[in-house]
Amino acid sequence: MLSIDDLKGVIPPIITPVDENEKVDEEGLKRVIDYVLEGGVHGIFVLGSNGEFYALDEASQKKAVEITVAHVDKRVPVYAGIGAITTSACIKTAQMAEAAGADAVTLLTPMFINPNEEEMLHHFKAAADAIKIPVILYNNPGKTTNNISPALLRKLAQIENIIGVKNTSLDFAQTIEYIRVTEDISSFKVLSGTDYYIYGTLAYGGVGCVAGTANVAPKLVVSIYEKYMAGDLKGAMEDQYKLIPLRNTYSYGSFPVVMKDCMNLLGLKVGHPIKPIDHCSESRMNDIRKVLVDLDLIEPSI
């Protein structure tokens, strides 16, 4: 079982390759896993928002988790994303992930509805109580419109198997507050969910990141973490700055297509985004190529 000491480093929310029928492409998924593991990542997060979890039915989600668990084969922890709206659906999906062999689950705040803090507390506690594997909370107010406040996080962090939070918010002050209000809880850790703030989160006492750009540039993202942990603060900061142009490409297409488009440019053959999302325009693809060339990830066009 995943321990609190295992929750650290760079954990890419891997994209989910799909075939022409928008079903999970097993060989494509294995290629993605191999690519990021070769880049030195410390965990694999399947069915995150970059993994288009919202577009996959129950059978496809189960297949994605099972393939990931089997192919990773305990080389690093596997985190399975849960994005269900209702508590009962959340519990069902979490139990599926546990049965499939995931080391932990990541629970997203409900979307579309707006539960109050008491309702969210009961929601997360019910899901955590329904499984034995650890839970990492996933705060993404920009996508779900629901935010885990520092006060609520403090309460959630005291639930036995809730061991961490990924904060995907441009409000870095909230990440700092998350760390401050839980610093005396040794069984709870904070991760950056925003690629701009990897260095900053580490500097304030966070333990790593769930970084979408680690799909494409895993070695660079890992370098930020490893240089920071080794005391090479200047080198870590330089690598953080190198990563920013890749993170800026998120706005070049409809989320979450850009990382998938990048990986196709890398030759990983990960297929199309799930409709209604479409590929970036040719103009934007050319802009992305330039970023990948600058990062030495692909060769310049002749």
Side-chain angles (χ1 to χ4, degrees):
M1 183 178 293
L2 183 84
S3 74
I4 189 64
D5 293 331
D6 297 323
L7 181 60
K8 62 183 179 182
V10 175
I11 306 165
I14 56 173
I15 64 103
T16 307
V18 294
D19 61 23
E20 294 298 327
N21 296 313
E22 298 187 339
K23 299 299 183 182
V24 177
D25 174 5
E26 180 170 353
E27 294 308 311
L29 183 53
K30 290 177 180 178
R31 283 194 298 274
V32 171
I33 292 167
D34 288 339
Y35 178 72
V36 297
L37 286 176
E38 287 165 8
V41 302
H42 307 89
I44 299 284
F45 176 19
V46 61
L47 299 179
S49 51
N50 265 284
E52 298 172 288
F53 75 87
Y54 53 84
L56 299 172
D57 60 22
E58 289 182 14
S60 294
Q61 289 190 16
K62 182 173 185 285
K63 182 178 179 180
V65 176
E66 289 176 341
I67 292 168
T68 303
V69 168
H71 196 62
V72 171
D73 193 24
K74 302 189 183 302
R75 286 175 285 178
V76 297
V78 172
Y79 303 80
I82 314 291
I85 296 174
T86 66
T87 304
S88 61
C90 201
I91 289 171
K92 181 180 179 181
T93 310
Q95 290 174 336
M96 174 277 291
E98 181 176 41
D103 296 290
V105 298
T106 300
L107 299 181
L108 180 65
T109 52
M111 61 189 81
F112 185 72
I113 58 174
N114 294 111
N116 61 39
E117 294 210 339
E118 193 68 17
E119 290 165 338
M120 278 211 283
L121 174 64
H122 293 311
H123 169 76
F124 285 124
K125 186 178 187 304
D129 286 346
I131 56 175
K132 293 183 173 61
I133 57 176
V135 170
I136 291 90
L137 304 170
Y138 178 4
N139 192 54
N140 192 342
K143 289 289 188 287
T144 70
T145 74
N146 291 309
N147 182 57
I148 300 173
S149 71
L152 175 57
L153 186 75
R154 170 80 186 177
K155 295 176 183 177
L156 290 166
Q158 296 175 72
I159 295 171
E160 185 175 357
N161 64 327
I162 295 182
I163 67 168
V165 64
K166 167 200 174 188
N167 190 33
T168 302
S169 169
L170 291 176
D171 180 6
F172 186 57
Q174 179 161 271
T175 296
I176 298 169
E177 275 293 276
Y178 277 2
I179 295 168
R180 185 184 70 83
V181 301
T182 60
E183 64 179 347
D184 63 328
I185 304 175
S186 61
S187 60
F188 190 86
K189 304 298 180 186
V190 177
L191 297 155
S192 170
T194 303
D195 300 33
Y196 295 115
Y197 301 149
I198 299 169
Y199 181 99
T201 299
L202 293 171
Y204 271 95
V207 297
C209 62
V210 178
T213 53
N215 276 285
V216 177
K219 290 181 180 178
L220 177 58
V221 183
V222 167
S223 181
I224 298 170
Y225 174 78
E226 292 189 342
K227 286 179 179 176
Y228 185 91
M229 297 306 291
D232 180 8
L233 304 187
K234 180 180 179 183
M237 180 62 83
E238 288 173 350
D239 285 342
Q240 174 73 83
Y241 282 134
K242 285 179 188 174
L243 184 66
I244 299 305
L246 180 59
R247 175 58 181 81
N248 286 343
T249 64
Y250 271 41
S251 64
Y252 291 7
S254 299
F255 184 83
V257 69
V258 174
M259 292 299 100
K260 189 169 267 191
D261 277 345
C262 284
M263 298 188 85
N264 279 322
L265 289 173
L266 294 178
L268 289 166
K269 299 179 182 177
V270 297
H272 303 291
I274 297 174
K275 299 295 184 182
I277 303 303
D278 207 346
H279 292 286
C280 294
S281 67
E282 188 55 39
S283 173
R284 280 308 196 183
M285 291 294 279
N286 287 331
D287 293 335
I288 292 170
R289 285 187 186 95
K290 292 174 184 175
V291 172
L292 297 180
V293 168
D294 288 344
L295 291 173
D296 293 323
L297 292 172
I298 61 173
E299 295 293 326
S301 300
I302 298 174

